[in-house]
Amino acid sequence: MASILDEYEDSQNNRQGSQQHSRLSPANIGLTHSGFVNVRLEEEKPIFNKQRIDFTPPERINHLAVCSNQLCMSLGKDTLLRIDLAKPDQPNQIELGRKDDSKVHRLFLDPTGSHLLISLSTSECLYLNRNTQKVRSLSRWRGHLIESVGWNKLLGNETSTGPILVGTSLGIIFEAEISASEGSLFNTNPDQYFRQIHSLEEDGKPAPICCLEVERGPDNKYFIIATTRKRLFQFVGKVAEGSEQQGFSAIFNQNQDLLPSFQEFPANMGYSEITFYTAKLRNVPKAFAWMMGNGVLYGQLDYVRPDSLLSDVQVWEYTPDIDINGDRPISIVLTQFHFLLLLPDRVKAICTLNGQVVHEDVFPDKFGALKRMIKDPVGGLVWIYTERAVFRYHIQRESRDVWQMYMSMNKFDLAKEYCRDRPECMDMVLAREAEYCFQNKRYLESAKCYALTQNYFEEIALKFIEAKQEEALKEFLLRKLNNLKPSEKTQVTLLVTWLVELYLNRLGQLESDGNGLVLQETREEFRAFLSNAKHKECLFNNRGTMYDLLASHGNVDDMVYFSVVMRDYERVISHHCQNDNFAAALDVLAKHCDDKLFYKFSPVLMQNIPRSVVDAWIKMGKRLDPKKLIPALMNYSQMGSTQQINETIRYMEFCVYELNVTEEAIHNYLLSLYAKYRPDSLLLYLDQAGTHPSEIHYDLKYALRLCAEHGYLQACVLVYRIMELYEEAVDLALQVDVDLAKRCADLPEDDEELRKKLWLKIARHVVQEEKDVKKAMNCLSSCNLLKIEDILPFFPDFVTIDHFKEAICGSLEEYNKHIDDLKQEMEEATESAKRIREDIQEMRNKYGVVDSQEKCAACDFPLLNRPFYLFLCGHMFHYDCLFQEVTPHLSAFKQSRLEELQKKLAATTQSSKSRHRQAPKEEGDTSSLGKGTAGTTREQIISDIDDIVASECAYCGELMIKSIDKPFIDPQKFEQEKSSWL
């Protein structure tokens, strides 16, 4: 008992499963026509897998009910066994406590598994709740043999069933409600009420109600299905929203005046059973199957139809081995695609799609006759029991072969729905669908399906070619192309080229037929294909072939479009230029801003639309190199119209004044254009270009030659001035204007000799060429370097002095003034010399007093111990201390000079000592003379050293001021000084 749900494979079940696996046909193994290899690594388990429960009942099993993993079993006469399938090792056995001869007639378990109704053969009914151990009698139900119960799936819960329908053996339908609570003091019965609401008949006589089913559809509409032995009744009605708790009497009252809708079959086997299939828990059923005397009526449930709930109804007639008078079917269970019939010794599974028996399982005699088959709507398991054994069916991957049936029925959408995860099956379905569409001349649909299959490409393509279906072939190729991987470049190239050819053929055909609307649509489709990013790489790599195809068909417009797609703008612009559509060519250039294309096509465009071209150049700005445009400008400006010349000058001015281009070629070309066509702008340009050679961007020699060739003397003068050739500038300016020459003569400000020479040239020109004495006199006033005596030689001999009277007098007065100034300067110099001599004499007689306790300002030792210096400021230094203080601040030259003087002083001192020791007495006169000479030299050296070292006080003089920005500690010795303090 503890292991009641331990699963194991029965030996007979294994044997039957192996027989079923052996039916695999060779066609399912190996290479199929689709190119898929269908090899199964392990045998598939059967759809209906039977398992026997390891359970030996202590008594014979009478009835069994399963729902929501709750299993209830009637054993023997008075025992009830309850098992929670989630806890199979904790069974619950209850004694009914019946002393009479009553037997359990039927067990009814609600969808929640909470409420169990036990119908007894003595027309009594007991109730047991899942949460209690007490079996309670339903007193109101006494006297009725219960055959069926229609549970309320909407309002039923663990404590209450809600309003339910109860069918009896006499064809009466009752409405009742059961509550698990104990009730009040005066009402201890679990049944709240039990009232008759309808009755059913067959052939004018009461007939037992075999099954009851209650379902709620959309719009609060309720559907009630009741079956007798050979009739199926339908009751449809609406229940007001919020009044569901009031029960189903309103539905039956709505149908009371009308005959109930029913279907009847002639055969009667004494009972019938209806079963339903629900896809998901808490959903409404989708299909039904009714087992009755003539066979099995099965179909779909349509909750929208107003007249009947049943749709797509079919009848499966019993096979010859089923005899309703002998081996009658006992129970039926409906799954998604099959219904299972329970016979006394076997189970048959029939496919609802084609009505074929797909599975048959024979039970051995040792377990006894099969009693009933039940399906748990929650767990989906099918249970079968005999008096001595319990079996369970697992339904695994029921839809695995459904696709084949739908495919054979030409229901391809459904077939594909059930083989999405099996590519080899999907391929077979698509191939069958493609063939079906092709045979029915639905070529486009056929092409779409063929493109998804793995069938041979050549075979399918030839098929459409033979049928002369180019549109279908194109569709097939397009879809094949979309399915290819980027790495399959050869296949992509083949398909793209073929499709281009097909499009071009179609376009040519439509043009000849004159069908404008279709032609436009096809052309848009073709252009969309050309611009598809997925094919861009292939089209680019094979653009030469595409151009050849387009050219062979004479399709110029699409060739231009393809060039744009490929960004082959050179070809597009060439096409526009060949067709004299220069504006369109320039639009392409301006749109894509390719500088290389500008350089290439600017000559021809400049010749035809110069203004627009220059506008485009200006818009491009610095992205164009003006130097590379000069050949086009020069080529057409020399023989072009006035407009071309003006536009050329406009662009050159833009480059010079806006872009600030410094290329010499640009400036030289603009200079040449000004010289030839705009002389007025020439001088303005030269003035703005600058006056210093470093500021000039044009070639001065070229500009000078150009201006000279065209006779622009003033421009030549300007160039000479920039070149600093002032003599040539003055000579040329005198041919134009004397004032211009004067301005040129004043330019060499630093060279008075040259200025005087230039002004003499101007004076000579004025005297000799213009013979204007007044102007010559003005030259004297304009240049302070010229005197009257400088220009007198230029005048002819017959000129009287009257013309120079004023100039001569002015010159004489200037000389007199200059003489007076010199006299005053001489007097001041004499006086200054006198004062200097007096100061020197005074300094010679000046002295200072040094105390014996005075100390050196540098070393702070007594001053009189060593030679010292005394300064007027009062600072006193030892000779060597002053030397050390001053030397680091001297310039390199003075330091080397000081070092040299020290060496000479040392040499002089040494030589003087030697002579003093070695000189004889008789040579006294000569020694005295030598000593005097040496002493004079030594004193001079000391004097020179004093001039360097003691020229000023080391602490008060200029030397200290200059050293104010120097650090107190030498940076090179800083670390050493720093470490000495640590």
Side-chain angles (χ1 to χ4, degrees), residues 173 198 200 222-226 233-237 251-252 255 260:
I173 299 177
H198 201 73
L200 300 177
Y222 277 82
F223 300 87
I224 299 174
I225 295 178
F233 294 87
Q234 300 181 60
F235 300 91
V236 181
I251 300 173
F252 288 99
N255 295 271

Side-chain angles (χ1 to χ4, degrees), residues 37-55:
V37 177
N38 184 13
V39 178
R40 294 175 181 175
L41 299 180
E42 59 182 13
E43 293 183 348
E44 286 189 333
K45 293 183 179 181
I47 296 175
F48 304 99
N49 184 20
K50 183 179 70 176
Q51 297 172 344
R52 183 191 171 198
I53 304 303
D54 184 16
F55 169 63

